[in-house]
Amino acid sequence: MNLISQSVLLKGVNDSVETLAALMRGFVEAGVKPYYLHQGDLARGTSHFRTSVEEAKALIDGLRGRVSGLAQPVYVIDLPGGAGKVPVAALSCEIEGEGWRIRDWQGYTHHYPPRDEKR
């Protein structure tokens, strides 16, 4: 049986390139393919665990030169309202005002707010 991992990016837990690289290498060494690295959900009371999208993109970029392609997770945002998981890449994600405009797999655009200290 093949195993894959879905991890959540958590501020203060796994939000450094060194920690993520060690985690992804550890998965591969254990025979687990890193699959998704999720942006933290916009659930009330969880903002202290969320990184900004800018921080997350910088972490993913930092992994590029440190771990093999097999250890590269796909950074995704699970859009609110059931719109699905969207890989955050140059073609699907653009800064819009104080947040982000994200295009889902159907071509619809959604506004994703910046990290909000009140949520």
Coordinates of all heavy atoms in Angstrom, one line a residue, residues 36-42 52-54 56-57 74-80 83-89 92-93 100 102-104 111-113:
Y36 N 0.1 17.0 0.2 CA -0.3 18.4 0.4 C 0.3 19.0 1.6 O 0.4 18.4 2.7 CB -1.9 18.5 0.6 CG -2.7 18.3 -0.7 CD1 -3.9 17.6 -0.6 CD2 -2.3 18.8 -1.9 CE1 -4.7 17.4 -1.7 CE2 -3.1 18.6 -3.0 CZ -4.3 17.9 -2.9 OH -5.0 17.8 -4.0
L37 N 0.6 20.3 1.5 CA 0.9 21.1 2.7 C -0.2 22.2 2.7 O -0.3 23.0 1.8 CB 2.3 21.8 2.6 CG 2.7 22.7 3.8 CD1 2.7 21.9 5.1 CD2 4.0 23.3 3.5
H38 N -1.1 22.1 3.7 CA -2.3 23.0 3.7 C -2.0 24.3 4.4 O -1.4 24.3 5.5 CB -3.4 22.3 4.5 CG -4.0 21.1 3.8 ND1 -5.1 21.3 3.0 CD2 -3.7 19.8 3.8 CE1 -5.4 20.1 2.5 NE2 -4.6 19.2 3.0
Q39 N -2.5 25.4 3.9 CA -2.6 26.7 4.6 C -3.7 26.4 5.7 O -4.6 25.7 5.5 CB -3.1 27.8 3.6 CG -3.4 29.1 4.3 CD -2.1 29.8 4.8 OE1 -1.0 29.5 4.3 NE2 -2.2 30.7 5.6
G40 N -3.4 27.0 6.9 CA -4.4 26.9 8.0 C -5.8 27.4 7.6 O -5.9 28.4 6.9
D41 N -6.8 26.7 8.0 CA -8.2 27.1 7.7 C -8.5 28.4 8.4 O -7.9 28.8 9.4 CB -9.2 26.0 8.1 CG -9.3 24.9 7.1 OD1 -8.9 25.1 6.0 OD2 -9.8 23.8 7.5
L42 N -9.5 29.1 7.9 CA -10.0 30.3 8.5 C -11.0 30.1 9.6 O -11.9 30.9 9.8 CB -10.6 31.2 7.4 CG -9.7 31.6 6.3 CD1 -10.5 32.4 5.2 CD2 -8.6 32.5 6.8
S52 N 1.0 33.7 7.0 CA 0.4 34.4 5.9 C 0.7 33.6 4.6 O 1.6 32.8 4.6 CB 1.0 35.8 5.8 OG 2.4 35.7 5.4
V53 N 0.0 33.9 3.6 CA 0.3 33.3 2.3 C 1.7 33.6 1.8 O 2.4 32.8 1.3 CB -0.8 33.6 1.3 CG1 -0.5 33.1 -0.1 CG2 -2.2 33.1 1.7
E54 N 2.1 34.9 2.0 CA 3.4 35.3 1.6 C 4.5 34.4 2.3 O 5.5 34.0 1.7 CB 3.7 36.8 1.9 CG 2.8 37.7 1.1 CD 1.5 38.1 1.8 OE1 1.1 37.4 2.8 OE2 0.9 39.0 1.4
A56 N 4.1 31.5 3.6 CA 4.0 30.1 3.2 C 4.7 29.9 1.8 O 5.4 28.9 1.6 CB 2.6 29.6 3.1
K57 N 4.4 30.8 0.9 CA 5.1 30.8 -0.4 C 6.6 30.8 -0.3 O 7.3 30.1 -1.0 CB 4.5 31.9 -1.3 CG 3.1 31.6 -1.8 CD 2.5 32.7 -2.7 CE 3.1 32.6 -4.0 NZ 2.5 33.5 -5.0
V74 N 2.7 19.8 -2.3 CA 2.0 20.8 -3.0 C 1.3 21.7 -2.0 O 0.5 21.2 -1.2 CB 0.9 20.2 -3.9 CG1 0.1 21.2 -4.6 CG2 1.6 19.3 -4.9
Y75 N 1.7 23.0 -2.0 CA 1.1 23.9 -1.0 C -0.3 24.3 -1.6 O -0.5 24.7 -2.7 CB 2.0 25.2 -0.9 CG 1.3 26.3 -0.2 CD1 0.8 26.2 1.1 CD2 1.3 27.6 -0.8 CE1 0.3 27.2 1.8 CE2 0.7 28.7 -0.1 CZ 0.2 28.5 1.2 OH -0.4 29.5 1.8
V76 N -1.3 24.1 -0.7 CA -2.7 24.3 -1.1 C -3.5 25.2 -0.1 O -3.2 25.2 1.1 CB -3.5 23.0 -1.4 CG1 -2.9 22.2 -2.5 CG2 -3.6 22.2 -0.1
I77 N -4.5 25.9 -0.6 CA -5.5 26.5 0.2 C -6.8 25.9 -0.1 O -7.2 25.7 -1.2 CB -5.5 28.0 -0.1 CG1 -4.2 28.7 0.3 CG2 -6.7 28.7 0.6 CD1 -4.2 30.2 0.0
D78 N -7.4 25.4 1.0 CA -8.8 24.8 0.9 C -9.7 26.0 1.0 O -9.9 26.5 2.1 CB -9.0 23.8 2.0 CG -10.2 22.9 1.7 OD1 -10.9 23.2 0.8 OD2 -10.4 22.0 2.6
L79 N -10.3 26.4 -0.1 CA -11.1 27.6 -0.1 C -12.4 27.4 0.7 O -13.0 26.4 0.6 CB -11.4 28.0 -1.5 CG -10.2 28.5 -2.4 CD1 -10.6 28.6 -3.8 CD2 -9.7 29.8 -1.8
P80 N -12.8 28.5 1.4 CA -14.0 28.4 2.2 C -15.2 28.2 1.3 O -15.2 28.5 0.1 CB -14.1 29.8 2.9 CG -12.7 30.3 2.9 CD -12.0 29.7 1.6
A83 N -15.3 25.4 -2.1 CA -14.8 25.6 -3.5 C -13.6 24.7 -3.8 O -13.2 24.7 -4.9 CB -14.5 27.1 -3.6
G84 N -13.1 24.0 -2.8 CA -12.0 23.0 -3.0 C -10.6 23.5 -2.7 O -10.4 24.7 -2.4
K85 N -9.7 22.6 -2.8 CA -8.3 22.8 -2.6 C -7.7 23.4 -3.9 O -7.9 22.9 -5.0 CB -7.6 21.5 -2.3 CG -8.0 20.9 -1.0 CD -7.2 19.6 -0.8 CE -7.7 18.8 0.4 NZ -8.9 18.1 0.0
V86 N -6.9 24.5 -3.8 CA -6.3 25.1 -4.9 C -4.8 25.1 -4.7 O -4.3 25.7 -3.6 CB -6.8 26.5 -5.1 CG1 -6.1 27.2 -6.3 CG2 -8.3 26.5 -5.4
P87 N -4.0 24.6 -5.5 CA -2.5 24.7 -5.4 C -2.2 26.2 -5.6 O -2.6 26.8 -6.5 CB -2.0 23.9 -6.5 CG -3.1 23.0 -7.0 CD -4.4 23.7 -6.7
V88 N -1.4 26.7 -4.7 CA -1.0 28.1 -4.7 C 0.3 28.2 -5.6 O 1.4 27.8 -5.2 CB -0.7 28.7 -3.3 CG1 -0.2 30.1 -3.4 CG2 -1.9 28.6 -2.5
A89 N 0.1 28.6 -6.8 CA 1.1 28.8 -7.8 C 1.0 30.1 -8.5 O -0.1 30.8 -8.3 CB 1.0 27.6 -8.8
S92 N -2.4 30.7 -10.3 CA -3.7 30.6 -9.6 C -3.8 31.6 -8.5 O -4.9 31.7 -7.9 CB -3.9 29.2 -9.0 OG -2.9 28.9 -8.0
C93 N -2.8 32.4 -8.2 CA -2.8 33.2 -7.0 C -2.1 34.5 -7.2 O -1.0 34.6 -7.7 CB -2.0 32.4 -5.9 SG -2.0 33.2 -4.3
W100 N -5.7 38.1 -1.3 CA -5.3 37.4 -2.5 C -6.5 37.0 -3.4 O -7.6 36.8 -2.8 CB -4.7 36.0 -2.1 CG -3.4 36.3 -1.4 CD1 -3.2 36.5 -0.1 CD2 -2.1 36.3 -2.0 NE1 -1.9 36.7 0.2 CE2 -1.2 36.5 -1.0 CE3 -1.6 36.0 -3.3 CZ2 0.2 36.6 -1.2 CZ3 -0.3 36.1 -3.5 CH2 0.6 36.4 -2.5
I102 N -7.7 34.2 -5.8 CA -7.3 32.8 -6.1 C -8.3 32.2 -7.1 O -9.5 32.3 -6.9 CB -7.2 32.0 -4.8 CG1 -6.2 32.6 -3.9 CG2 -6.8 30.5 -5.1 CD1 -6.2 31.9 -2.5
R103 N -7.7 31.6 -8.1 CA -8.6 30.9 -9.2 C -8.7 29.4 -8.9 O -7.6 28.8 -8.6 CB -7.9 31.1 -10.6 CG -8.8 30.7 -11.7 CD -8.3 31.0 -13.1 NE -7.0 30.3 -13.3 CZ -5.8 31.0 -13.4 NH1 -5.7 32.3 -13.3 NH2 -4.7 30.3 -13.6
D104 N -9.9 28.9 -8.8 CA -10.0 27.5 -8.5 C -10.0 26.7 -9.8 O -9.8 27.2 -10.9 CB -11.3 27.2 -7.7 CG -12.6 27.5 -8.5 OD1 -12.6 27.5 -9.7 OD2 -13.7 27.7 -7.8
H111 N -11.9 35.6 -3.3 CA -11.0 36.5 -2.5 C -10.6 35.7 -1.2 O -11.5 35.1 -0.6 CB -11.7 37.8 -2.1 CG -10.9 38.7 -1.2 ND1 -9.9 39.4 -1.6 CD2 -11.0 38.9 0.2 CE1 -9.3 40.1 -0.6 NE2 -10.0 39.7 0.5
Y112 N -9.3 35.7 -0.9 CA -8.8 35.1 0.3 C -8.2 36.2 1.2 O -7.2 36.9 0.7 CB -7.8 34.0 0.0 CG -7.4 33.1 1.2 CD1 -8.2 32.1 1.5 CD2 -6.3 33.4 1.9 CE1 -7.8 31.3 2.6 CE2 -5.9 32.6 2.9 CZ -6.7 31.6 3.3 OH -6.4 30.8 4.4
P113 N -8.6 36.4 2.4 CA -8.1 37.5 3.2 C -6.7 37.3 3.7 O -6.3 36.2 3.8 CB -9.1 37.6 4.3 CG -9.6 36.2 4.5 CD -9.6 35.6 3.1

